[in-house]
Amino acid sequence: MRHEEPHDAFIEVRDLVAHYDETLVLAGVSFAVRRGEVFVIVGGSGCGKTTLLKHMTGLLTPTSGAVYCSGQNITEMNEDELARMQRGIGIAFQSSGLFNSMTVGDNVALPLREYGGVEERLVQAIVRLKLSLVGLAGAEHMMPEELSGGMRKRAGLARAIALDPPVVYFDEPSAGLDPIIAAGLDDLILDLRGLLGITFVIVTHELDSIRKVADRLLMLDRGKEIFLGTLAEAEACDVGRVRQFFERRADEFIMPHGPR
Amino acid sequence: MTDTRLPCPGRLDGETGRTLHEKAEALAVRPGDRLVLEMSGTDSMDARGGAWVVAVADAVRARHGEFAYEGQRGEVADFMNLIGPGLVGAPSTAKSETGFFERVGETGLDWLGEFNEFVVLTVDTVYWTFIAPFEGKGFRWGLWADEVYEMGVRGVRINCLMNFLLGMIIAMLSAAQLEQFGAGILVADLVVIAFARELAAVMTATVVAARTGAAIAAELATMKVQEEIDALRGMGLNVAQFLVAPKVLALLLVMPCLAGLGMIAGLLGSAVWGVLVMGHPARLWYNETMAAAEMSDVFQGFLKTLVFAVMIVLIGCHNGLRVRGGSRGVGLMTTRAVVMDIFFIIVIDMIFASVFYYMLD
């Protein structure tokens, strides 16, 4: 199943095992993300997707295993090295993670002001550019609570791409959004990939979204990897749970009125 | 192990279900036995009847027996497919009771873990407040100024009012005693010593714990719940530098100021009582107060406020960052922070009092 040459692995996860308190959340997951692709992590609710994302970005420390980002093992980094690595990635959170105490513009400008060494006039220009890239031109003076759910996700994405990172991690882009806005976000992800060459690692369970954006995908079930491959391979896959997911079939015991 | 068969009524509803349950109880299943519900004669069942089946299964398993059903057909089969899978089989092994020593050990480990987190936060905060700015790593002066306004300026009125009232209360209580000996004027001495050493610092710390300590805990907990803390860390920014250090430095400035104003307010409160109610001349009251005021007492009080300031911020941040779950967690952690604040205000005050008692007096 795994034939990637080491040189095209941009981000690599090896035998990642993680616990939350005493519950096993990830049971030895391994995969690699290639430069420039949209890599989707899918699976049912509570299967460890978000946890995996937090491990890949250094927000959590695993029980064992390694995460390589551009060849460096982030699980062995000290705080300073980790902080330096994190400047090179963008993370857009499920609940957007925007700072409620700042305007949208200041939110996007924050990483620029903290790290960029960019002069203030240019900071303003970059903020406007990134906001118009995500379709929020003119929203820089609004507060996060004035935005709708979809706009907030876009603003979170604008902040994630503020420093032009080569890779963006996106947790549940379409969760809680109506299908039209969700589709808009999917288009946006593809546009940004095409325009800026950003590698995307996306966590989702929205089937429509997966079919639209995914180049390759990893499917998790109860912390275990059950599928890794391209979208076409996934659609053709005959592993029970993968089929079940793509055909939106419920688990057997909860369908009393199914075909007899 | 024996099988017991129990026929199910033709129409399973609330009434027949109750009878079924009573029959099952009367069978007195022994551990390891199996009770089979014979459903071939059942033509219909409703939700209430289904609930009685669940109750029967629970009762069987409570006696460590096994529950099974068979012969269901048609509509009843559909219904049983829905509720059945959780009921069939051997009793689920209950989580083993943890023993006394295990619980003691667990609690101990929890405390150690929390203490460790607190120490890490404290060390980080001390570094980012007092050392890093001199290494040119930056300090958020803008946020610091906001915090000074929010914690300090906006807290002046309530803090002065509380201290004023407390001063008046102390004067009232002590006047009743001292006037019996014709020494009513000594109330001025008593109040100035009490406020300089103890009351201004403790009263101010309590007001600040309730206002600022709660606000800090709630703010950080909400930020954690809404992934703002993760976002900050995900940008490679340090939480201690970004959020905690400006608050520590702000409260270190604000707390002595508030305590100083509080002391003045307390003395005014006692003076109002002394002059207007007890009828001492204002001049006399003023002279008595100034004569009793000792710089060392005032210094002792101020020293405490600095310790209180650091403690209130750290406890607020510590509890805020430990939040689990949603809005309920935020409330729990805010409560916890204020309770811990008030507890440690008294503990620290006690330590100071004993140190000064043995060392200086």
Side-chain angles (χ1 to χ4, degrees):
Chain A
M1 210 183 232
R2 218 167 285 127
H3 304 297
E4 290 100 332
E5 297 296 315
H7 67 260
D8 73 351
F10 180 28
I11 300 147
E12 200 185 341
V13 174
R14 266 188 222 159
D15 299 322
L16 198 71
V17 178
H19 291 80
Y20 186 77
D21 287 341
E22 267 148 43
T23 322
L24 182 71
V25 187
L26 294 172
V29 179
S30 298
F31 60 94
V33 179
R34 297 171 191 157
R35 205 173 279 276
E37 73 178 349
V38 176
F39 187 87
V40 180
I41 299 166
V42 301
S45 300
C47 71
K49 300 183 303 267
T50 300
T51 309
L52 177 57
L53 197 77
K54 290 193 171 169
H55 281 289
M56 291 174 77
T57 50
L59 290 173
L60 292 174
T61 313
T63 314
S64 68
V67 177
Y68 293 89
C69 190
S70 309
Q72 288 169 298
N73 186 353
I74 71 166
T75 57
E76 286 173 358
M77 287 180 175
N78 65 30
E79 225 172 283
D80 285 343
E81 289 168 333
L82 194 61
R84 211 166 304 130
M85 185 282 296
Q86 284 167 333
R87 282 170 221 177
I89 63 175
I91 313 173
F93 289 89
Q94 189 170 352
S95 56
S96 91
L98 291 174
F99 300 114
N100 278 314
S101 54
M102 301 179 184
T103 63
V104 172
D106 284 341
N107 262 291
V108 179
L110 183 78
L112 294 164
R113 290 190 180 130
E114 289 298 316
Y115 296 129
V118 190
E119 57 175 306
E120 188 54 31
R121 253 182 325 149
L122 192 56
V123 168
Q124 295 300 337
I126 294 174
V127 167
R128 276 203 296 279
L129 170 79
K130 303 287 170 174
L131 282 176
S132 45
L133 273 178
V134 299
L136 281 180
E140 56 259 46
H141 297 298
M142 293 171 90
M143 297 303 281
E145 74 257 21
E146 297 174 78
L147 301 183
S148 70
M151 288 162 88
R152 252 186 246 197
K153 292 225 165 152
R154 286 162 179 270
L157 184 57
R159 185 176 67 183
I161 61 172
L163 289 172
D164 297 311
V167 54
V168 168
Y169 296 84
F170 206 151
D171 192 4
E172 302 272 7
S174 37
L177 301 180
D178 72 61
I180 298 171
I181 292 181
L185 262 169
D186 294 339
D187 288 335
L188 180 60
I189 288 164
L190 292 176
D191 286 349
L192 288 177
R193 194 263 299 263
L195 232 60
L196 307 175
I198 296 173
T199 306
F200 274 94
V201 177
I202 296 170
V203 160
T204 187
H205 54 233
E206 300 282 329
L207 205 49
D208 296 337
S209 188
I210 296 164
R211 289 209 165 105
K212 193 158 178 184
V213 300
D215 290 323
R216 289 195 314 134
L217 55 90
L218 167 77
M219 189 176 284
L220 294 178
D221 184 37
R222 275 161 249 164
K224 289 200 192 75
E225 165 195 331
I226 54 168
F227 177 82
L228 176 68
T230 63
L231 179 63
E233 283 166 3
E235 300 260 23
C237 179
D238 54 10
V239 174
R241 283 201 77 82
V242 180
R243 288 215 63 72
Q244 200 185 346
F245 187 90
F246 276 92
E247 290 169 6
R248 299 190 61 143
R249 265 190 298 117
D251 281 333
E252 294 301 336
F253 70 87
I254 58 162
M255 28 172 326
H257 301 294
R260 277 191 210 123
Chain B
M1 168 167 169
T2 50
D3 270 13
T4 317
R5 306 189 76 81
L6 181 65
C8 190
R11 188 179 146 65
L12 183 59
D13 57 19
E15 277 314 304
T16 54
R18 188 191 305 277
T19 325
L20 183 72
H21 186 257
E22 277 160 11
K23 276 186 203 159
E25 286 283 284
L27 285 172
V29 178
R30 280 189 304 275
D33 282 1
R34 204 162 78 118
L35 183 108
V36 183
L37 190 62
E38 180 60 60
M39 300 189 90
S40 55
T42 310
D43 301 315
S44 70
M45 67 188 283
D46 62 8
R48 193 56 65 88
W52 279 114
V53 173
V54 173
V56 167
D58 284 348
V60 169
R61 288 195 292 181
R63 294 163 179 255
H64 301 279
E66 267 186 52
F67 176 81
Y69 58 93
E70 59 183 44
Q72 70 280 16
R73 56 198 159 75
E75 192 186 319
V76 174
D78 286 346
F79 206 113
M80 289 310 290
N81 279 342
L82 196 59
I83 62 169
L87 304 178
V88 178
S92 58
T93 44
K95 213 174 168 184
S96 61
E97 290 269 306
T98 45
F100 173 72
F101 289 105
E102 280 174 63
R103 267 179 289 147
V104 170
E106 214 167 274
T107 313
L109 283 178
D110 281 352
W111 281 6
L112 266 182
E114 178 167 0
F115 183 69
N116 180 45
E117 276 175 41
F118 187 77
V119 169
V120 169
L121 179 72
T122 308
V123 171
D124 255 21
T125 305
V126 168
Y127 173 77
W128 285 105
T129 315
F130 301 109
I131 302 170
F134 295 104
E135 291 178 345
K137 290 200 181 171
F139 188 83
R140 296 180 71 211
W141 291 107
L143 184 63
W144 175 81
D146 287 350
E147 294 285 5
V148 168
Y149 176 74
E150 181 57 43
M151 294 171 173
V153 179
R154 280 167 50 83
V156 167
R157 264 182 306 175
I158 180 71
N159 184 53
C160 285
L161 180 66
M162 301 290 274
N163 278 287
F164 181 87
L165 294 177
L166 187 68
M168 208 185 261
I169 294 166
I170 301 286
M172 253 183 247
L173 290 176
S174 49
Q177 307 300 319
L178 288 169
E179 275 182 333
Q180 291 176 15
F181 305 99
I185 190 66
L186 288 183
V187 170
D189 296 53
L190 188 146
V191 169
V192 78
I193 293 170
F195 264 84
R197 278 202 190 180
E198 284 293 326
L199 293 179
V202 171
M203 195 67 211
T204 305
T206 310
V207 172
V208 169
R211 268 189 95 248
T212 308
I216 291 174
E219 181 189 345
L220 265 80
T222 312
M223 287 183 79
K224 173 110 185 181
V225 168
Q226 296 188 345
E227 294 185 307
E228 290 180 42
I229 301 284
D230 276 341
L232 200 63
R233 289 176 56 216
M235 285 184 225
L237 297 171
N238 190 295
V239 176
Q241 175 197 9
F242 227 73
L243 298 173
V244 189
K247 290 187 202 297
V248 168
L249 212 57
L251 202 57
L252 273 176
L253 173 73
V254 158
M255 194 77 165
C257 297
L258 283 179
L261 291 171
M263 191 172 81
I264 295 168
L267 296 182
L268 280 175
S270 70
V272 164
W273 192 263
V275 175
L276 297 186
V277 181
M278 292 163 73
H280 294 287
R283 187 82 214 163
L284 179 64
W285 192 271
Y286 175 78
N287 286 340
E288 190 67 26
T289 302
M290 291 318 272
E294 286 274 354
M295 206 53 213
S296 69
D297 290 342
V298 176
F299 170 76
Q300 202 191 115
F302 274 121
L303 201 63
K304 257 188 285 202
T305 62
L306 298 180
V307 180
F308 289 153
V310 175
M311 180 205 81
I312 288 172
V313 174
L314 285 177
I315 287 179
C317 292
H318 170 76
N319 282 296
L321 292 172
R322 275 174 67 87
V323 71
R324 287 251 176 119
S327 44
R328 184 165 165 69
V330 176
L332 285 175
M333 281 324 201
T334 309
T335 310
R336 195 166 182 263
V338 175
V339 171
M340 274 172 87
D341 275 343
I342 294 189
F343 175 72
F344 280 106
I345 286 171
I346 301 298
V347 169
I348 290 171
D349 196 48
M350 178 74 206
I351 293 170
F352 264 87
S354 28
V355 165
F356 280 95
Y357 181 80
Y358 286 110
M359 274 176 45
L360 301 177
D361 288 336

